[in-house]
Structure formats: C-alpha cells, structure tokens
Amino acid sequence: MNAPLLELRKLARHYRVRSGRGWFSPAQTLRAVSEVSLQVRSGQTVGLVGESGCGKSTTARLSLGLTSPTSGQVLFEGRPVPAQRNAHWKDLRQRMQMVYQDPLSALDRRLGVMAQVIEPLSIFRRGSPASRRERAARVLGEVGLSESLWQRYPHELSGGQRQRVVLARALVLKPSLLVCDEPISALDVSIQAQVINLLTQTQQQRRLGMLFISHDLKVVRQVCDEVAVMYLGRIVEQGTPEQLFTNPVHPYTEALISAIPTIQRGKVHRRILLKGDPPNPINIPGGCAFHPRCPIAKQACRETSPVLREAADGRRLACLYR
Ligand SMILES: Nc1ncnc2c1ncn2[C@@H]1O[C@H](COP(=O)(O)OP(=O)(O)OP(=O)(O)O)[C@@H](O)[C@H]1O
Ligand SMILES: [Mg+2]
C-alpha cells in the first residue's frame, strides 16, 4: 500500500514553563504531547478529540511542521518533514494547509476578499498575475462566495462568509492535506452546518486528507472516518466513529461520549461525571495518566502506563483492564 499522506511517529512535544510568577521561579516540563502515532490517508478524515489542553492543537502544529517535535517524527507522503525551512519545507507548506478557529484573526484586515485569496499564490509565485486572479475566482465560486462579495473587507462579512474566505485561501494552493483546528466553533449553529457540508464536499471532491479537531462530538461523528481520543497528550483510544460512539471501551472515551447531549424523548441519559482534579500536563500522574479520575482504576493503574495496542475489532486502546 502507498505511504500514508501524513504519518506521526511517536511524537512528543515538551515545553519548559515557569511554575510561578517570578523570574526565579523554577522551570518545569510541560508534556503537551507524548508518544502520538497517527496516520492520515488521502481522502480520509481523522478526528482528534479530548478535553481542553489535552494536546490537540499542538499535534496539529506538529503535523504541519509549525512546531518542532521534542522527539519522534512527522512524515509526509513517506518523507520526513524537514526541521529547517528549506525548499522542501516550502513545497510542503503549500500542500498542507490549516483552517483555524477564528477566521477574523486568520485574515488580513487590510485586504479585500479577492486579494486575500490571491495572496498565497503570490507568496509562492504561482503563475502569472492574470492566472492567479482566474484561479482565485474559481475557488471563491467553489466555496460559494458570489462576485458581489469579492471586493469586501473581512469586517464587512458574516462569520460564515469569513470562514469561506479562509477555506478558499487554504484551497487555492491545491493542498493534499487540510488540518482544521476547531473550524466551526466560532460560528453560529446554522452556519456551522453549511461550513461542515462545504468542508466534507470539498474533501471528497479533491480526495484531501483531513485532520479534524473539534469539541463538537456530533460533528466529529458525522464527518470523520477515524477518531482518536486524547488524554493528557496521549491517544487513549482510536477507532471508527461507529466503534467509539456506539461502543466506547476506554473509560475516558465512555465519559466523553456520555457528555454528548441527546434530545431523544423518553431515553434516559446517564452522564458519567469524572471525579478528581482536572488534568494538568505539568504534573502528569504516574502509571496510567487517567487513573486518578478513572472509575475502574486498580493498583496496577498507578504503576504501569498502558501501551496503545490493537484490540480484536481493530480499534487502538490503552487501558490495562479493558
Ligand atoms: N508554546 C507553548 N508554551 C508552553 N505551553 C504550551 C505551549 N503551547 C501549548 N502549551 C500547553 O500545552 C498543552 C496542550 O495545549 P494545546 O493547545 O495543544 O491543547 P488543545 O487540546 O488544543 O486545547 P483546546 O481544546 O483548549 O484548544 C496545554 O497545557 C498548553 O497550555
Ligand atoms: Mg486547541
């Protein structure tokens, strides 16, 4: 089989942070991401979910080479992403694009819509000025922005329109990988559905590989082919949406899934409330990092860190007792 589009191999990213306010407070190690291995194939959407601070955005930045790993490797089409910003890195940056949460901060306030979409082509010196304009116009049409909006500035657009401009800016370079970090959380519920449809349509038409980060588990279930659940920087369970949402096995996935509000009438919904302190990546518990909050933890969980192994049904799972 061909090499995956994106492959993360045992990635770790640590930060040195000061624990107190003063200059002389001791520095500590914050383990944002540990041992993350993951693959994204062309045409596949892989979701990353987990509580705030569990390392999703750091994994996204590592995937694009925007942050360098403390250890481990990122491969794009089977080749390591270079650590230095050389010609190979520049080529890769065109083929891997990011869609961020806040469209307003991702756009240049001084540029109109058309100019925003032409800009990446100019930066990478793609084609002649006339062909850049033509290409930008085509992509703006694809994302559903009519010509009447092309001269407007970001502040003159709605949130949904802005996110379409961000997407057009990403797509104009014909990327093969799209990393979406909370692409819809700043949008109105009605607009969210439109942007999601647009993303999935584009992804299917162009056979893009997509890494999709969202707190909205219903959307993740709808758009992803695979979902990885992270806890304190590690993947604790990974499988198809069907596997994770109808039969979560890791106690943390179970709790996460149980928190999805359901509106089915007559159905008794039991939300699992996790006990214990919220997770802190500066002070990760020994053994299984989830053990202080885990409803089924035993003595061994304090001592042994479970490895992420393949279960009988093909999902990946890191739990000593499940
Ligand atoms: N540049 C940095 N320096 C120090 N710590 C950092 C840095 N970037 C991220 N962190 C820390 O790494 C951890 C993971 O952060 P990250 O942004 O990846 O989380 P996340 O899962 O994306 O959270 P959210 O859902 O809130 O966006 C957090 O504890 C964060 O404070
Ligand atoms: Mg984040």
Side-chain angles (χ1 to χ4, degrees):
M1 219 190 326
N2 292 345
L5 187 62
L6 176 74
E7 182 173 2
L8 312 182
R9 280 194 194 158
K10 293 199 167 213
L11 271 192
R13 174 68 215 207
H14 301 166
Y15 292 105
R16 294 293 286 167
V17 291
R18 300 214 169 267
S19 51
R21 280 162 179 257
W23 280 104
F24 299 105
S25 58
Q28 288 181 303
T29 303
L30 182 153
R31 293 170 207 278
V33 168
S34 308
E35 298 240 2
V36 165
S37 296
L38 194 71
Q39 297 188 350
V40 182
R41 300 194 166 271
S42 291
Q44 189 188 33
T45 302
V46 178
L48 272 188
V49 302
E51 277 162 301
S52 180
C54 71
K56 303 179 296 295
S57 296
T58 307
T59 305
R61 286 197 304 275
L62 287 165
S63 303
L64 294 176
L66 300 174
T67 300
S68 51
T70 305
S71 61
Q73 218 180 14
V74 181
L75 293 105
F76 190 75
E77 291 173 341
R79 290 176 64 193
V81 172
Q84 317 82 6
R85 307 205 159 185
N86 56 16
H88 179 205
W89 188 86
K90 212 170 146 189
D91 172 52
L92 288 184
R93 281 300 295 129
Q94 300 178 59
R95 308 196 34 221
M96 312 157 103
Q97 292 291 316
M98 180 111 161
V99 176
Y100 295 92
Q101 171 175 4
D102 175 12
L104 202 53
S105 63
L107 296 171
D108 185 335
R109 284 157 203 259
R110 298 157 305 175
L111 291 181
V113 169
M114 178 50 115
Q116 302 270 358
V117 183
I118 291 177
E119 192 183 49
L121 295 170
S122 310
I123 292 174
F124 290 107
R125 303 205 174 126
R126 294 266 201 101
S128 64
S131 72
R132 287 174 197 161
R133 213 177 168 75
E134 212 174 285
R135 165 124 194 91
R138 195 160 352 113
V139 177
L140 282 167
E142 275 178 38
V143 301
L145 286 169
S146 64
E147 208 168 334
S148 60
L149 299 170
W150 293 358
Q151 301 312 320
R152 293 224 203 144
Y153 290 90
H155 69 271
E156 299 171 322
L157 299 172
S158 73
Q161 288 166 341
R162 275 181 215 139
Q163 197 56 303
R164 283 165 198 264
V165 180
V166 171
L167 191 58
R169 250 178 91 88
L171 293 176
V172 78
L173 290 166
K174 298 193 181 160
S176 32
L177 177 75
L178 207 54
V179 175
C180 301
D181 193 354
E182 304 274 2
I184 51 158
S185 51
L187 306 175
D188 234 84
V189 178
S190 58
I191 310 288
Q192 281 186 352
Q194 286 178 20
V195 172
I196 286 298
N197 284 343
L198 180 61
L199 269 175
T200 47
Q201 271 169 22
T202 324
Q203 190 252 355
Q204 281 160 13
Q205 279 160 8
R206 298 180 175 223
R207 287 199 40 80
L208 287 170
M210 194 149 90
L211 192 60
F212 188 87
I213 298 171
S214 177
H215 278 115
D216 189 330
L217 296 177
K218 283 188 171 164
V219 170
V220 168
R221 181 175 191 172
Q222 182 195 337
V223 306
C224 295
D225 304 299
E226 277 282 317
V227 182
V229 180
M230 290 183 74
Y231 189 80
L232 277 176
R234 284 172 193 267
I235 296 177
V236 295
E237 187 167 4
Q238 185 190 341
T240 62
E242 184 63 22
Q243 286 171 331
L244 296 199
F245 289 84
T246 57
N247 178 26
V249 173
H250 195 285
Y252 178 63
T253 317
E254 230 175 5
L256 212 58
I257 302 291
S258 84
I260 303 174
T262 53
I263 46 170
Q264 278 171 282
R265 229 190 297 169
K267 188 173 166 184
V268 182
H269 185 72
R270 205 170 56 86
R271 182 175 175 172
I272 304 169
L273 288 174
L274 293 174
K275 56 180 183 175
D277 296 333
N280 174 4
I282 295 182
N283 194 2
I284 296 184
C288 171
F290 184 57
H291 86 255
R293 298 168 84 196
C294 180
I296 62 161
K298 300 189 177 41
Q299 183 57 32
C301 305
R302 297 167 208 274
E303 292 152 9
T304 313
S305 173
V307 288
L308 189 63
R309 64 188 154 85
E310 195 171 315
D313 64 357
R315 79 177 75 199
R316 296 201 299 162
L317 183 68
C319 177
L320 295 181
Y321 289 100
R322 289 256 166 105

